[in-house]
Amino acid sequence: MTSEYPKIVVKPPGPKASELIEREKRVISPGLGVKLFPVVPERGYGALIEDVDGNIFIDFLAGAAAASTGYAHPRLVKEVQEQVAKIQHSMIGYTYSKRAIEVAEKLAEKAPVEEPLILFGMSGSDAMDLTMQAARFATKRPWMIAFIGAYHGQTYGATSIAAFQSSQKRGLSPLIPGVVWVPYPNPYRNVWGINGYDEPDELINRFLDYLEGYIFAHVLPPDETAVLIAEPIQGDGGIVVPPENFFIELKRLLDEHGILLAMDEVQTGIGRTGKWFASEWFGVKPDLLAFGKGVASGMGLSGVIGRRDLLENLTSGSALLTPAANPVVSAAAHATLRIIEEENLLQNALRVGEFIQKRLREMQEEYDVIGDVRGRGLMIGAEIVKADGKPDPELTGKICWRAFELGLILPSYGMFGNVIRITPPLVITEELAERGLEIMEQALKDALAGKVTHRVVTWH
């Protein structure tokens, strides 16, 4: 029963988790990642995670929005087990794979890309590298445009186009040259000081004027620009949803100059926003589209879906990655795509996501510290602010820490570390989401009352 969860049997982190955390410090580099919570998962089921001490948490993170079908979904488990018992590896760069072909056919059917072909990778990071390769090779142009606030990954190529936190690039230069960054049209907090909710067209026009009148006129020649790379909804930057017509107007301008539009849908794709791909929300068909994370429920598959004329002439082997789309991970992807389709998880994401946003807006009416609520489907952000409207990362971190103590995995993200990120598995029920929001509200009350001394760690 939903009412039984979460279940905290020992104050987290418990003794087993604490021991493992100390063991990790002795053998694993901190460069591996940002440890948001001191939790060591042992097993999972649905949208619940049980740690090594027996604590059971409601999961609003889904492993960075990757566990799309939740944990231990029986259909996924069965298909992966059956495949690994047959053959665990065949290299699609040298031979053919029935499983990879099935996945590619399904992705081509769902993607909002004209006459698509597909490249496969292993993570969102190398999918972005493949996107950059394809754009430069197809156009024979050197320059690329990306958005401030975008997190595109951790390979050298992905890091070179990212502009989420400057610490991501510290000590790594020189990075890949030929990249220019522009501000993302955040309706709530943008460099032009425009209320993009009340004046969306003004925000769009101000951005387009900036791109054409300043960037193209003074920074880089548009006829030497290969691609503009964008997240349709910025993820780690704070779940930032641009004005509805933004990408339609942007693509019109890019097309005038022969510049490709590449969408980074690593986080937003595969049902996360209630559509197969978030580009659909904005009525735009990108030239290239990167996917990853949720496509195999977190099991290490990614890739690029692109127009046939852009991908069909790539040099043979130029996108070859040995483990990409191996039979086991392709089985996981095949199962994931079927589960999403046959169990109506797009509709569930819309329904539960609407419920979560409605509940958050009710909380916003009661608590002035909630400055903004935004998102699509099960990709939702709540921005926590001070009385003057400035970001409040300290309070945000305390809310999330207290939620963790109460049994809810509730991460903080955003360019300023002040956005509560809600990206649960797509299988989450309304009842479990409601219980999680009850915990979040209690955590908010406790933090405001000065009862919380710790805060979660986030990107800095």
Side-chain angles (χ1 to χ4, degrees):
M1 298 290 292
T2 299
S3 59
E4 298 176 2
Y5 302 110
K7 186 182 294 184
I8 301 299
V9 298
V10 58
K11 184 178 179 180
K16 292 181 180 179
S18 296
E19 180 194 357
L20 284 163
I21 289 167
E22 290 304 311
R23 285 170 59 186
E24 179 183 287
K25 291 177 182 176
R26 294 195 290 269
V27 291
I28 296 179
S29 167
L32 188 71
V34 179
K35 302 294 187 179
L36 304 180
F37 300 96
V39 61
V40 183
E42 177 78 359
R43 61 178 58 87
Y45 20 90
L48 299 169
I49 287 178
E50 182 177 342
D51 77 359
V52 290
D53 291 291
N55 293 316
I56 299 176
F57 299 86
I58 298 172
D59 182 21
F60 273 12
L61 174 60
S68 49
T69 60
Y71 304 103
H73 192 291
R75 294 175 66 181
L76 177 72
V77 171
K78 181 175 184 290
E79 200 152 337
V80 169
Q81 286 177 335
E82 289 176 351
Q83 181 57 54
V84 79
K86 293 178 181 177
I87 184 170
Q88 85 282 2
H89 176 66
S90 63
M91 215 279 273
I92 61 170
Y94 293 157
T95 59
Y96 297 87
S97 168
K98 175 176 178 287
R99 283 296 198 182
I101 293 167
E102 290 171 340
V103 173
E105 288 173 337
K106 181 63 75 173
L107 290 170
E109 173 191 321
K110 302 299 183 184
V113 177
E114 298 284 357
E115 296 187 49
L117 289 179
I118 292 170
L119 296 171
F120 281 118
M122 297 169 288
S123 72
S125 297
D126 59 51
M128 296 314 301
D129 284 15
L130 292 172
T131 299
M132 295 159 63
Q133 283 182 239
R136 279 182 165 171
F137 187 87
T139 64
K140 302 298 185 287
R141 296 178 176 188
W143 286 96
M144 297 179 287
I145 302 172
F147 281 102
I148 297 170
Y151 171 82
H152 290 302
Q154 293 294 154
T155 57
Y156 240 84
T159 297
S160 297
I161 56 173
F164 171 48
Q165 298 291 347
S166 60
S167 60
Q168 187 179 356
K169 302 180 182 182
R170 183 172 289 118
L172 300 179
S173 294
L175 295 168
I176 293 175
V179 184
V180 169
W181 292 271
V182 293
Y184 198 79
N186 182 340
Y188 181 70
R189 193 183 297 279
N190 58 74
V191 298
W192 298 283
I194 297 169
N195 185 326
Y197 295 127
D198 292 341
E199 298 181 281
D201 291 340
E202 176 63 20
L203 181 57
I204 292 170
N205 290 335
R206 192 70 64 90
F207 172 84
L208 295 176
D209 288 346
Y210 175 81
L211 181 61
E212 193 160 34
Y214 286 87
I215 300 301
F216 289 160
H218 305 289
V219 181
L220 78 167
D223 60 324
E224 293 186 4
T225 303
V227 63
L228 183 146
I229 300 170
E231 295 166 285
I233 298 172
Q234 285 199 330
D236 289 20
I239 316 296
V240 182
V241 184
E244 183 177 353
N245 292 326
F246 172 66
F247 283 109
I248 291 177
E249 297 300 323
L250 174 61
K251 183 123 185 16
R252 183 177 292 122
L253 176 59
L254 296 178
D255 286 345
E256 289 177 9
H257 296 289
I259 300 170
L260 304 178
L261 173 63
M263 287 294 210
D264 175 355
E265 294 240 30
V266 171
Q267 184 171 165
T268 57
I270 317 300
R272 170 55 53 192
T273 68
K275 294 185 183 291
W276 279 104
F277 295 96
S279 298
E280 299 171 63
W281 281 108
F282 304 102
V284 67
K285 292 186 176 182
D287 303 295
L288 297 164
L289 184 155
F291 64 91
K293 287 189 184 291
V295 69
S297 295
M299 286 185 61
L301 182 69
S302 71
V304 178
I305 307 170
R307 287 180 6 222
R308 174 173 292 274
D309 62 303
L310 300 177
L311 299 186
E312 65 182 350
N313 294 315
L314 286 178
T315 303
S316 178
S318 62
L320 183 152
L321 297 165
T322 299
N326 68 68
V328 177
V329 76
S330 292
H334 186 252
T336 296
L337 296 171
R338 285 175 50 236
I339 290 165
I340 292 173
E341 190 168 45
E342 295 172 18
E343 297 187 8
N344 299 316
L345 295 190
L346 298 185
Q347 291 85 347
N348 190 65
L350 291 172
R351 182 175 57 82
V352 180
E354 183 179 351
F355 166 78
I356 292 172
Q357 285 211 52
K358 179 176 181 292
R359 182 73 184 89
L360 288 173
R361 294 188 195 284
E362 290 171 355
M363 291 168 61
Q364 185 181 14
E365 290 293 321
E366 188 171 350
Y367 304 98
D368 292 339
V369 296
I370 301 178
D372 194 29
V373 174
R374 57 201 181 228
R376 293 285 188 277
L378 286 172
M379 186 175 180
I380 299 165
E383 184 156 343
I384 306 301
V385 299
K386 299 176 182 178
D388 60 3
K390 292 182 179 179
D392 195 340
E394 183 75 19
L395 178 60
T396 308
K398 288 181 176 180
I399 294 168
C400 294
W401 180 266
R402 183 62 177 141
F404 165 67
E405 291 183 321
L406 296 174
L408 174 67
I409 304 296
L410 185 71
S412 63
Y413 274 77
M415 290 178 67
F416 309 102
N418 72 313
V419 177
I420 292 174
R421 167 182 172 178
I422 299 176
T423 56
L426 303 184
V427 296
I428 194 169
T429 63
E430 188 173 306
E431 294 74 22
L432 200 59
E434 182 174 18
R435 180 71 186 109
L437 291 170
E438 289 172 357
I439 294 171
M440 175 183 161
E441 184 170 14
Q442 184 61 54
L444 172 58
K445 289 178 179 178
D446 290 350
L448 288 172
K451 297 179 180 180
V452 186
T453 57
H454 288 72
R455 56 177 291 194
V456 297
V457 176
T458 189
W459 281 89
H460 57 81

